[in-house]
Amino acid sequence: MTVSTDALETLLERASAGVAFDGLHVTETDGEYTLETPANEWTGLDEADCRRALESIEEYVTNWRYWQETVDGEGTARRAFLRWCERAPLADAADADATTGPWSDGDAPEPLAVPERYRALRDGIDREWGQLSITARFVDVDDPDGERVYDLWHVDDAGSDITDLEVYDDPREARELATYDEDGRYRPLKTAPTLPGGWAFTGLSGADLVETVEFFYPATVANWHRELRGNLDIDHWLETAERQTGIYDVIDELPREAVEWMAEACCVDSQCLRRREWQYEEGDDLDADGGDGPFPCREPCSLVIAAARKWAILESEEERTYELELTTSELNQLEDLIDAVADGRTDEIREADVNDGANRYRARYLRSKRFDDEGNLEATQVDD
Amino acid sequence: MQALVIAAHGSHLNPDASDPTYAHADTIRETGAFDEVREAFWKEEPHFREVIRTLESDEVFVVPLFISEGYFTEQVIPRELRLDDWDPEQWDSDGTSASQATLEAEDVGKTIHYCGPVGTHDAMTDVIVQRAETATGDPDVGEGVALSVVGHGTDRNENSAKAIEYHSDRIAERDRFDEVKALFMDEEPEVDDVTEYFESEDIVVVPLFIADGYHTQEDIPEDMGLTEDYRLGWDVPSEVDGYQIWYTGAVGTEDLMADVLLERAADAGADIGDAREAVRELAASVAESGAESGPEPNAGAGAGD
Ligand code: SF4
């Protein structure tokens, strides 16, 4: 039996309980079948007629089978995510106001009905999830039986030839790929926009796709799904800070102003693909922009908590007034240096580009000139 | 459906800190005993805070991949998992006897079986012994040999020393090694003076730590005098004051740790079928192939992180 006849048999068995899915409706009462799709309607069919009618709308049958039998998991984030991958209507998102994410606005592609989706799945339907590009397609393009597989690579590799990429099929490999950036540095924040490319996962099952995505971007599917349903729980700064114990106990002392600076330093799009939804506290929003990242951030992450501890300690210091001798250009150079480090630009500054204040020779020159023998800036505290 | 969550510390600085967590999770995945197996971390992602919501299972077994009962197992993990009704009293533990507590995670409405840490489970004793076997390449190691279990010490957590002593005592009761002693980094008796505590010329030193890192790959080898500088590495065994020191590195990286995780979950009511046998067989075959290839590959792995 082919998958589609197999699917047809299962569907017929379920008809008495009623089938209603993705535009397909099948009912049976006392051996009489009713069949409906957005384009057609059949009533008063006997079993043989129903079988013939179903054969003529095979796409609906195999689609039903894929979602109800293979994917299953009604109401789960996994299922919703896989539906999103192929632009199928999301049952969970019936209430369009439910989500605040970037997929909720008018720019989101229209959901596709079964026939359009079936056409598109032959070529593959592409979606982006952070720095991931996901393609949903049929296993068998020439004679689709409804079974889908998924490919996954870095968005920057979307145009690459697959033979130039390292190909994987085990979701767990994603852990290693997500561990280091392009320069081999450890990425403690998985949603930092520094995921390196050069790899591809191909032919993943739906379950494996979700697992792989979760290894790249942990918990993003679950929180996306919650946001979609309008029940994303946000823990704002103060409640998160007050919850901390041990060495992190101090972070709730961080001045509100410093929390602004921290959000601006850590949570902007250039540093993190999450969109900061947490505020100072309920009803007291931070001015710092939360960013346009695709994934909602529902509470300060462990990296921000760890950094906050440092800042809480530093901010408890008193300000002092210092006197130091600098030319105007040297003062400007200090600004250039801070900017270059803050923007992670130091590697890009060319050796001979002495016009850039953060040029290494310029920095070394400044150090030679203005630091004393102990390596300290010659500054004098003038208050007491 | 039932899920296993392995709750570990992780690190913002050292990518290897989570390796044992991943390795043991993968071993358990292979057994198929759980519908879902998930790693969760304090310092990495998924964070403890969000892990439960990533699961479809209604029954979740959370096993802390920590050595001792204390701050993390009693405060941080339950708090971050939103086990609002948690109270350490539910474990009714003397510091090494935590078993499990059944609770509800407030944000997801799932049943959470919150288990004691791996480090204080009785099965951990076997892992320490197995560690001695893999390190020496001798499945019968014991006669004429001393064993030392090494822990951090009590500066951070009063139960930390209890776990070390608990397993040392249990190994001593087995009469397998000529001598057994618990030693510490930060309190008496100190690991620095390891040779002073034993008469046997061969001493196997097993640090009861979850992951290899600063302490197990830098501090302890230098303190014991295995090497002047951890970056130069050391031999297994190394000669110190006429003794042969078989230093094994963190016990948490031993394959048999997956078995302890499984036992913790099983004690809490998880249906694990014959997963334990599978894991034990796997660990034994790894230990055996280690034995064939001679002394432990840890030799010279000094520059850990
Ligand atoms: S707290 Fe900020 S840096 Fe951390 S995950 Fe959220 S948005 Fe990103």
Side-chain angles (χ1 to χ4, degrees):
Chain A
M1 224 184 308
T2 67
V3 176
S4 48
T5 31
D6 196 22
L8 197 146
E9 294 308 324
T10 329
L11 186 58
L12 276 178
E13 278 165 30
R14 305 279 163 83
S16 57
V19 167
F21 180 72
D22 259 1
L24 172 69
H25 295 263
V26 186
T27 50
E28 183 249 18
T29 3
D30 303 330
E32 200 176 285
Y33 293 83
T34 311
L35 203 59
E36 196 191 319
T37 67
N40 282 299
E41 202 181 327
W42 294 265
T43 48
L45 305 174
D46 64 16
E47 198 186 314
D49 286 339
C50 181
R51 215 177 276 273
R52 264 190 296 281
L54 282 170
E55 272 163 20
S56 74
I57 51 161
E58 195 190 343
E59 292 181 346
Y60 282 94
V61 175
T62 59
N63 182 66
W64 171 83
R65 178 197 163 96
Y66 179 70
W67 287 108
Q68 304 304 83
E69 303 280 297
T70 309
V71 175
D72 199 23
E74 199 78 54
T76 61
R78 169 177 57 91
R79 180 185 174 94
F81 179 75
L82 293 173
R83 302 272 299 166
W84 175 84
C85 283
E86 65 173 61
R87 294 174 54 191
L90 302 175
D92 308 71
D95 178 6
D97 302 328
T99 170
T100 55
W103 293 294
S104 64
D105 59 26
D107 301 341
E110 282 293 305
L112 304 176
V114 173
E116 289 92 68
R117 242 189 293 148
Y118 263 55
R119 264 195 298 282
L121 281 165
R122 286 171 195 262
D123 296 333
I125 297 176
D126 298 329
R127 303 298 314 253
E128 281 184 15
W129 190 258
Q131 290 186 287
L132 304 177
S133 173
I134 299 164
T135 305
R137 59 179 169 90
F138 284 129
V139 181
D140 186 342
V141 177
D142 298 323
D143 184 17
D145 58 9
E147 290 301 304
R148 279 85 152 159
V149 281
Y150 304 86
D151 307 321
L152 179 68
W153 43 71
H154 194 288
V155 281
D156 294 346
D157 289 329
S160 301
D161 199 323
I162 189 95
T163 54
D164 293 334
L165 304 174
E166 193 86 33
V167 177
Y168 299 96
D169 59 10
D170 183 343
R172 288 177 247 166
E173 308 271 12
R175 283 189 311 226
E176 188 71 15
L177 295 169
T179 301
Y180 302 93
D181 69 11
E182 232 166 44
D183 300 321
R185 279 179 305 216
Y186 178 41
R187 299 171 68 242
L189 181 66
K190 290 284 202 299
T191 47
T194 54
L195 185 69
W199 46 266
F201 287 81
T202 57
L204 297 173
S205 69
D208 280 354
L209 172 76
V210 175
E211 208 180 342
T212 311
V213 167
E214 282 282 290
F215 279 133
F216 278 117
Y217 295 132
T220 54
V221 173
N223 283 325
W224 162 80
H225 190 226
R226 282 178 165 255
E227 184 175 54
L228 200 63
R229 292 182 299 172
N231 68 352
L232 182 69
D233 46 344
I234 309 287
D235 284 8
H236 296 290
W237 170 258
L238 262 193
E239 40 184 319
T240 307
E242 281 167 358
R243 196 177 76 223
Q244 307 300 319
T245 52
I247 61 167
Y248 299 107
D249 195 25
V250 297
I251 67 168
D252 58 354
E253 288 160 28
L254 194 63
R256 192 188 180 292
E257 191 179 31
V259 177
E260 289 278 1
W261 298 325
M262 182 177 74
E264 203 178 311
C266 305
C267 304
V268 291
D269 290 346
S270 68
Q271 306 300 309
C272 180
L273 295 170
R274 284 204 183 97
R275 171 175 22 93
R276 182 180 54 73
E277 294 290 342
W278 54 266
Q279 303 295 347
Y280 187 68
E281 64 183 317
E282 182 73 46
D284 181 2
D285 287 7
L286 294 172
D287 286 335
D289 187 26
D292 297 318
F295 315 122
C297 174
R298 46 160 308 281
E299 75 175 47
C301 65
S302 72
L303 213 63
V304 158
I305 297 289
R309 171 172 183 258
K310 188 76 205 174
W311 285 314
I313 295 165
L314 295 180
E315 289 296 340
S316 68
E317 276 180 45
E318 250 173 77
E319 291 193 344
R320 306 242 181 251
T321 309
Y322 292 90
E323 201 172 82
L324 73 165
E325 306 259 305
L326 290 177
T327 66
T328 307
S329 295
E330 285 168 348
L331 180 66
N332 293 341
Q333 195 190 340
L334 283 184
E335 294 166 2
D336 287 349
L337 280 163
I338 292 171
D339 268 341
V341 172
D343 295 336
R345 205 168 55 80
T346 50
D347 285 354
E348 294 159 25
I349 300 167
R350 286 167 297 170
E351 188 121 346
D353 185 4
V354 290
N355 289 325
D356 194 318
N359 168 273
R360 194 167 74 242
Y361 293 136
R362 290 273 307 271
R364 293 176 64 85
Y365 182 93
L366 188 68
R367 185 172 66 176
S368 292
K369 178 175 172 185
R370 296 295 182 191
F371 282 18
D372 61 20
D373 293 343
E374 269 94 57
N376 299 317
L377 197 57
E378 287 179 45
T380 322
Q381 189 184 319
V382 290
D383 56 358
D384 34 42
Chain B
M1 284 177 84
Q2 58 175 12
L4 175 70
V5 170
I6 305 174
H9 192 282
S11 164
H12 289 152
L13 296 171
N14 171 14
D16 305 328
S18 47
D19 286 354
T21 316
Y22 289 141
H24 306 317
D26 286 349
T27 304
I28 295 171
R29 282 187 178 98
E30 302 285 345
T31 68
F34 291 86
D35 301 289
E36 297 168 287
V37 177
R38 194 82 82 236
E39 305 89 340
F41 302 96
W42 171 234
K43 294 280 191 158
E44 295 180 35
E45 298 167 83
H47 193 267
F48 297 152
R49 199 75 187 149
E50 307 203 301
V51 66
I52 305 292
R53 63 184 53 193
T54 69
L55 302 165
E56 290 183 17
S57 308
D58 286 325
E59 293 277 320
V60 182
F61 296 83
V62 178
V63 183
L65 191 58
F66 282 79
I67 289 300
S68 43
E69 295 170 25
Y71 179 56
F72 276 99
T73 59
E74 290 178 359
Q75 287 189 48
V76 177
I77 300 174
R79 179 188 79 213
E80 298 295 302
L81 292 176
R82 299 170 171 87
L83 305 180
D84 289 6
D85 293 330
W86 161 255
D87 183 326
E89 291 298 311
Q90 284 163 289
W91 269 352
D92 188 24
S93 172
D94 61 7
T96 57
S97 60
S99 53
Q100 76 105 27
T102 301
L103 298 141
E104 176 143 318
E106 288 298 319
D107 60 326
V108 285
K110 290 180 194 287
T111 304
I112 312 295
H113 302 276
Y114 183 51
C115 305
V118 288
T120 53
H121 194 277
D122 282 356
M124 194 67 199
T125 309
D126 296 336
V127 184
I128 296 168
V129 172
Q130 170 123 28
R131 191 69 176 167
E133 293 172 14
T134 31
T136 55
D138 177 3
D140 301 315
V141 62
E143 212 184 311
V145 174
L147 178 83
S148 170
V149 184
V150 178
H152 195 286
T154 57
D155 63 330
R156 294 187 302 185
N157 168 3
E158 59 163 317
N159 284 336
S160 145
K162 284 190 192 166
I164 317 296
E165 277 154 3
Y166 181 70
H167 294 296
S168 297
D169 291 348
R170 281 171 50 87
I171 295 170
E173 279 162 25
R174 293 181 185 185
D175 279 335
R176 170 169 176 163
F177 294 88
D178 283 6
E179 303 162 83
V180 181
K181 189 155 188 72
L183 296 175
F184 301 95
M185 290 181 60
D186 283 355
E187 66 168 281
E188 296 285 330
E190 286 195 18
V191 69
D192 305 39
D193 313 316
V194 58
T195 53
E196 287 175 20
Y197 297 102
F198 298 102
E199 280 166 21
S200 320
E201 276 174 20
D202 285 286
I203 308 170
V204 179
V205 178
V206 183
L208 198 57
F209 286 76
I210 292 297
D212 272 319
Y214 175 65
H215 291 313
T216 64
Q217 296 293 321
E218 301 181 22
D219 265 16
I220 299 176
E222 287 185 6
D223 288 353
M224 285 195 299
L226 301 186
T227 177
E228 288 278 296
D229 180 341
Y230 73 92
R231 281 166 296 206
L232 302 172
W234 55 88
D235 295 325
V236 179
S238 285
E239 206 192 296
V240 178
D241 309 332
Y243 289 79
Q244 301 285 326
I245 310 282
W246 302 77
Y247 180 64
T248 71
V251 69
T253 61
E254 185 69 26
D255 294 301
L256 201 52
M257 282 292 284
D259 178 63
V260 188
L261 287 158
L262 282 170
E263 295 218 25
R264 274 287 184 216
D267 292 348
D271 175 10
I272 59 165
D274 53 9
R276 284 188 47 209
E277 288 71 46
V279 166
R280 284 182 162 265
E281 259 168 48
L282 177 88
S285 73
V286 170
E288 204 150 292
S289 61
E292 276 159 24
S293 62
E296 187 30 15
N298 245 356
D305 22 315

